[in-house]
mmCIF file of all heavy atoms in Angstrom:
data_model
loop_
_atom_site.group_PDB
_atom_site.id
_atom_site.type_symbol
_atom_site.label_atom_id
_atom_site.label_comp_id
_atom_site.label_asym_id
_atom_site.label_seq_id
_atom_site.Cartn_x
_atom_site.Cartn_y
_atom_site.Cartn_z
ATOM 1 N N GLU S 329 20.567 19.497 64.781
ATOM 2 C CA GLU S 329 21.646 19.734 63.834
ATOM 3 C C GLU S 329 22.353 18.454 63.521
ATOM 4 O O GLU S 329 22.298 17.432 64.327
ATOM 5 C CB GLU S 329 22.680 20.689 64.539
ATOM 6 C CG GLU S 329 22.122 22.079 64.876
ATOM 7 C CD GLU S 329 21.689 22.834 63.627
ATOM 8 O OE1 GLU S 329 22.346 22.673 62.602
ATOM 9 O OE2 GLU S 329 20.678 23.584 63.744
ATOM 10 N N VAL S 330 23.048 18.393 62.417
ATOM 11 C CA VAL S 330 23.838 17.215 62.073
ATOM 12 C C VAL S 330 24.921 16.977 63.145
ATOM 13 O O VAL S 330 25.580 17.937 63.562
ATOM 14 C CB VAL S 330 24.506 17.427 60.659
ATOM 15 C CG1 VAL S 330 25.398 16.227 60.357
ATOM 16 C CG2 VAL S 330 23.481 17.525 59.578
ATOM 17 N N GLY S 331 25.039 15.730 63.535
ATOM 18 C CA GLY S 331 26.094 15.342 64.526
ATOM 19 C C GLY S 331 25.640 15.425 65.957
ATOM 20 O O GLY S 331 26.236 14.950 66.866
ATOM 21 N N GLN S 332 24.368 16.057 66.126
ATOM 22 C CA GLN S 332 23.797 16.165 67.511
ATOM 23 C C GLN S 332 23.432 14.811 68.081
ATOM 24 O O GLN S 332 23.006 13.864 67.344
ATOM 25 C CB GLN S 332 22.643 17.087 67.433
ATOM 26 C CG GLN S 332 22.156 17.653 68.781
ATOM 27 C CD GLN S 332 20.960 18.579 68.554
ATOM 28 O OE1 GLN S 332 20.783 19.113 67.519
ATOM 29 N NE2 GLN S 332 20.155 18.625 69.612
ATOM 30 N N ARG S 333 23.613 14.630 69.315
ATOM 31 C CA ARG S 333 23.164 13.442 70.023
ATOM 32 C C ARG S 333 21.760 13.601 70.389
ATOM 33 O O ARG S 333 21.315 14.618 70.924
ATOM 34 C CB ARG S 333 23.984 13.138 71.245
ATOM 35 C CG ARG S 333 25.488 12.938 71.029
ATOM 36 C CD ARG S 333 25.783 11.590 70.385
ATOM 37 N NE ARG S 333 25.307 10.503 71.168
ATOM 38 C CZ ARG S 333 25.260 9.259 70.769
ATOM 39 N NH1 ARG S 333 25.713 8.970 69.604
ATOM 40 N NH2 ARG S 333 24.821 8.312 71.553
ATOM 41 N N VAL S 334 20.908 12.619 70.122
ATOM 42 C CA VAL S 334 19.481 12.731 70.434
ATOM 43 C C VAL S 334 18.981 11.421 71.046
ATOM 44 O O VAL S 334 19.623 10.373 71.010
ATOM 45 C CB VAL S 334 18.650 13.029 69.187
ATOM 46 C CG1 VAL S 334 18.916 14.403 68.651
ATOM 47 C CG2 VAL S 334 18.867 11.981 68.070
ATOM 48 N N VAL S 335 17.797 11.542 71.615
ATOM 49 C CA VAL S 335 17.092 10.321 72.047
ATOM 50 C C VAL S 335 15.861 10.132 71.216
ATOM 51 O O VAL S 335 15.133 11.032 70.975
ATOM 52 C CB VAL S 335 16.701 10.413 73.520
ATOM 53 C CG1 VAL S 335 15.813 9.258 73.994
ATOM 54 C CG2 VAL S 335 17.944 10.547 74.413
ATOM 55 N N CYS S 336 15.699 8.886 70.727
ATOM 56 C CA CYS S 336 14.599 8.688 69.785
ATOM 57 C C CYS S 336 13.575 7.768 70.450
ATOM 58 O O CYS S 336 13.917 6.724 71.062
ATOM 59 C CB CYS S 336 15.098 7.990 68.500
ATOM 60 S SG CYS S 336 13.844 7.568 67.360
ATOM 61 N N ALA S 337 12.300 8.163 70.461
ATOM 62 C CA ALA S 337 11.262 7.329 71.135
ATOM 63 C C ALA S 337 10.106 7.091 70.171
ATOM 64 O O ALA S 337 9.966 7.827 69.130
ATOM 65 C CB ALA S 337 10.792 8.024 72.401
ATOM 66 N N VAL S 338 9.305 6.112 70.502
ATOM 67 C CA VAL S 338 8.156 5.794 69.626
ATOM 68 C C VAL S 338 6.973 6.471 70.182
ATOM 69 O O VAL S 338 6.610 6.342 71.351
ATOM 70 C CB VAL S 338 7.916 4.256 69.635
ATOM 71 C CG1 VAL S 338 6.742 3.886 68.749
ATOM 72 C CG2 VAL S 338 9.147 3.520 69.120
ATOM 73 N N GLY S 339 6.326 7.253 69.295
ATOM 74 C CA GLY S 339 5.171 8.069 69.803
ATOM 75 C C GLY S 339 3.808 7.481 69.440
ATOM 76 O O GLY S 339 2.775 8.192 69.585
ATOM 77 N N ALA S 340 3.753 6.261 68.933
ATOM 78 C CA ALA S 340 2.446 5.693 68.535
ATOM 79 C C ALA S 340 2.518 4.200 68.592
ATOM 80 O O ALA S 340 3.590 3.629 68.835
ATOM 81 C CB ALA S 340 2.093 6.146 67.061
ATOM 82 N N ASP S 341 1.381 3.518 68.485
ATOM 83 C CA ASP S 341 1.380 2.061 68.450
ATOM 84 C C ASP S 341 2.042 1.618 67.172
ATOM 85 O O ASP S 341 1.832 2.285 66.038
ATOM 86 C CB ASP S 341 -0.079 1.525 68.522
ATOM 87 C CG ASP S 341 -0.676 1.855 69.866
ATOM 88 O OD1 ASP S 341 0.087 2.311 70.744
ATOM 89 O OD2 ASP S 341 -1.883 1.543 70.074
ATOM 90 N N GLY S 342 2.676 0.540 67.160
ATOM 91 C CA GLY S 342 3.431 0.034 65.954
ATOM 92 C C GLY S 342 2.636 -1.065 65.230
ATOM 93 O O GLY S 342 1.639 -1.579 65.749
ATOM 94 N N HIS S 343 3.115 -1.350 64.058
ATOM 95 C CA HIS S 343 2.477 -2.445 63.249
ATOM 96 C C HIS S 343 3.460 -3.527 63.092
ATOM 97 O O HIS S 343 4.586 -3.356 62.551
ATOM 98 C CB HIS S 343 1.992 -1.909 61.867
ATOM 99 C CG HIS S 343 1.586 -2.950 60.928
ATOM 100 N ND1 HIS S 343 0.520 -3.788 61.170
ATOM 101 C CD2 HIS S 343 2.060 -3.381 59.733
ATOM 102 C CE1 HIS S 343 0.356 -4.648 60.171
ATOM 103 N NE2 HIS S 343 1.301 -4.398 59.307
ATOM 104 N N PHE S 344 3.167 -4.758 63.591
ATOM 105 C CA PHE S 344 4.099 -5.846 63.602
ATOM 106 C C PHE S 344 3.925 -6.730 62.361
ATOM 107 O O PHE S 344 2.768 -7.019 61.955
ATOM 108 C CB PHE S 344 3.920 -6.681 64.868
ATOM 109 C CG PHE S 344 4.789 -7.923 64.973
ATOM 110 C CD1 PHE S 344 6.138 -7.783 65.259
ATOM 111 C CD2 PHE S 344 4.289 -9.215 64.719
ATOM 112 C CE1 PHE S 344 6.967 -8.891 65.333
ATOM 113 C CE2 PHE S 344 5.114 -10.270 64.730
ATOM 114 C CZ PHE S 344 6.474 -10.119 65.099
ATOM 115 N N VAL S 345 5.018 -7.059 61.734
ATOM 116 C CA VAL S 345 4.974 -8.017 60.620
ATOM 117 C C VAL S 345 5.871 -9.159 60.975
ATOM 118 O O VAL S 345 7.045 -8.999 61.181
ATOM 119 C CB VAL S 345 5.468 -7.315 59.289
ATOM 120 C CG1 VAL S 345 5.382 -8.372 58.186
ATOM 121 C CG2 VAL S 345 4.621 -6.154 59.005
#
Side-chain angles (χ1 to χ4, degrees):
Chain S
E329 298 298 327
V330 174
Q332 198 180 332
R333 299 288 301 171
V334 291
V335 174
C336 179
V338 178
D341 293 354
H343 172 60
F344 178 74
V345 180

